[in-house]
Amino acid sequence: MSQLTSGVAELPLLTETVEKCTGIVRETGLNISSLLVELDRLEEDCDKLHVERMKAVHRHHLDSYREERHRELVQKKAVMERTHQDSVRVSAIKECLVLKERHNTFKEEFERDMENYKSTGNFSVRDAQTAPLDTVQKIQTAPLDTLENFVPEEDSDLSSFLGSERTSSLISTKSDEGTDSHISRVSDAES
């Protein structure tokens, strides 16, 4: 029984120890619940930081993509400008060559017509069928009928250019064609 008496004597001490342990367990539970709240907050903060980091990475990738696209566009623009300048230069050269060729063709035709006019005193129009094919294709001229019927109002420039005997043959040729009224005007102008 002595054990029972010693056990009963230790009972208040045991109760006090159990109450202390219960208080510690309760306090530990409160600490654990506050720790869980803090862990939840920490997890939310980590998620926010992760989202911000992902946004920063996305912005960085977007900025680098924009810079790369800008560089490509600048390079393509430079290539296109060079290509355009080259094509403009080539077309200008082609146009210049065409104009020179047309000028030379016109000059040759004019010289031929002048030689014919000086030798015969008539301005004859060559038919398009007798003209060389490349000349017909290259030259775009006004209708030659208007050139045949053209009589200058002031004959002094033409006289000085062709000489006085050519002018008289022109006047006689034109009088045969029925331009007597104009010849009288030319004769009045010469005197």
Side-chain angles (χ1 to χ4, degrees):
M1 221 8 153
S2 75
Q3 287 180 343
L4 187 61
T5 335
S6 67
V8 171
E10 290 180 9
L11 194 60
L13 184 65
L14 219 76
T15 308
E16 186 179 320
T17 306
V18 167
E19 284 178 4
K20 279 185 185 177
C21 283
T22 307
I24 290 173
V25 167
R26 198 176 299 127
E27 190 176 316
T28 305
L30 290 173
N31 285 340
I32 287 176
S33 64
S34 67
L35 185 63
L36 287 175
V37 168
E38 289 296 322
L39 281 174
D40 287 342
R41 237 184 255 150
L42 184 62
E43 190 175 340
E44 287 176 6
D45 290 344
C46 285
D47 287 343
K48 286 179 184 176
L49 285 174
H50 179 71
V51 167
E52 289 298 321
R53 192 178 62 116
M54 291 303 292
K55 284 181 181 178
V57 167
H58 179 70
R59 274 194 301 270
H60 174 70
H61 286 307
L62 188 62
D63 289 342
S64 64
Y65 174 76
R66 284 180 183 161
E67 288 175 7
E68 183 180 337
R69 290 297 295 168
H70 181 70
R71 247 190 335 272
E72 288 175 3
L73 288 174
V74 166
Q75 289 174 349
K76 286 181 181 180
K77 182 180 177 184
V79 167
M80 288 175 70
E81 283 178 357
R82 273 186 258 123
T83 305
H84 175 70
Q85 289 173 353
D86 291 344
S87 67
V88 166
R89 192 177 314 118
V90 165
S91 66
I93 290 171
K94 284 181 181 177
E95 184 178 348
C96 185
L97 289 175
V98 166
L99 289 175
K100 281 183 182 178
E101 189 174 337
R102 286 182 68 195
H103 175 73
N104 289 338
T105 307
F106 279 120
K107 187 176 178 182
E108 290 171 6
E109 288 295 318
F110 178 74
E111 287 173 358
R112 248 187 253 126
D113 289 343
M114 285 305 294
E115 287 298 321
N116 184 24
Y117 181 74
K118 285 180 183 178
S119 64
T120 63
N122 289 344
F123 181 73
S124 64
V125 179
R126 288 194 300 156
D127 192 10
Q129 294 171 350
T130 62
L133 183 61
D134 60 340
T135 305
V136 173
Q137 290 174 348
K138 291 176 187 171
I139 301 175
Q140 298 174 354
T141 60
L144 292 179
D145 297 338
T146 59
L147 293 176
E148 275 186 333
N149 297 331
F150 175 74
V151 177
E153 291 183 16
E154 288 189 30
D155 213 8
S156 61
D157 292 336
L158 185 60
S159 298
S160 64
F161 178 71
L162 299 175
S164 62
E165 56 220 28
R166 296 252 192 309
T167 306
S168 60
S169 67
L170 173 68
I171 292 171
S172 65
T173 306
K174 291 295 180 181
S175 66
D176 294 340
E177 296 175 358
T179 57
D180 293 329
S181 62
H182 179 70
I183 293 172
S184 62
R185 275 190 279 142
V186 170
S187 301
D188 293 339
E190 285 180 351
S191 58

